[in-house]
């Protein structure tokens, strides 16, 4: 048996473990603080216009749906809509995260805002979606 491989044979499990640990740390992303920040920023009673301005300030791609369109989404695709309509418009949107880590993963935020018939914010949902590659 050659001497060099024999010297490292007993260390192979340790080296493999270290390599796996480094690879996993390169894949993992830090938690995105944006959903929690936005929960505090989008308070009930906010107008649709003010909410739209704040979404634009965050670089959000979003669409405003009528109450009928919101209800149709709930009925057709319940997994798309976390919140039920409450008499007014609803907003669906996404904020794209910047690549981070060695492998370029990113953390996006999807959101839904629900308004009442008078155009005031009633409820909001912000969720982090992680993309590892």
């Amino acid at each position: 048996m050659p001497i060099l491989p024999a010297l490292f044979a007993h260390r192979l499990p340790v080296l493999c473990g270290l390599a796996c640990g480094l690879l996993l740390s390169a894949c993992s992303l830090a938690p995105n603080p944006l959903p929690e920040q936005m929960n505090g920023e989008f308070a009930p009673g906010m107008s649709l216009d003010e909410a739209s301005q704040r979404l634009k300030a965050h670089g959000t791609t979003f669409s405003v749906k009528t109450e009928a369109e919101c209800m149709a989404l709930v009925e057709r695709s319940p997994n798309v809509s976390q919140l039920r309509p409450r008499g007014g418009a609803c907003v669906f949107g996404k904020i794209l995260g910047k690549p981070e880590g060695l492998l370029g993963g990113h953390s996006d935020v999807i959101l839904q805002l629900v308004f009442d018939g008078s155009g005031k914010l009633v409820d909001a949902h912000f969720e982090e979606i992680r993309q590892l590659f």
Side-chain angles (χ1 to χ4, degrees):
M1 175 182 253
I3 292 181
L4 192 58
L7 290 175
F8 292 105
H10 68 285
R11 293 191 178 126
L12 188 59
V14 173
L15 292 173
C16 286
L18 182 60
C20 288
L22 288 173
L23 183 59
L24 286 175
S25 68
C27 292
S28 66
L29 300 172
N32 190 334
L34 195 54
E36 187 174 328
Q37 174 189 336
M38 293 185 80
N39 267 324
E41 194 175 324
F42 287 81
M46 177 183 286
S47 72
L48 178 58
D49 287 339
E50 184 181 355
S52 295
Q53 289 172 3
R54 288 182 187 225
L55 290 173
K56 288 175 186 173
H58 283 286
T60 311
T61 302
F62 67 96
S63 60
V64 179
K65 307 285 185 187
T66 66
E67 181 188 14
E69 292 170 323
C70 296
M71 188 55 78
L73 278 171
V74 168
E75 292 169 354
R76 281 192 317 246
S77 305
N79 58 336
V80 170
S81 180
Q82 297 288 325
L83 306 171
R84 295 189 63 76
R86 303 282 290 276
C90 65
V91 175
F92 291 94
K94 185 174 187 177
I95 302 170
L96 297 176
K98 295 180 175 93
E100 55 183 271
L102 294 175
L103 299 176
H106 62 280
S107 174
D108 300 333
V109 175
I110 57 171
L111 62 96
Q112 182 185 4
L113 306 176
V114 176
F115 295 84
D116 64 16
S118 69
K120 300 294 181 192
L121 181 65
V122 178
D123 206 353
H125 177 79
F126 303 95
E127 185 175 337
E128 178 181 16
I129 305 295
R130 292 172 175 245
Q131 307 289 327
L132 293 179
F133 302 104

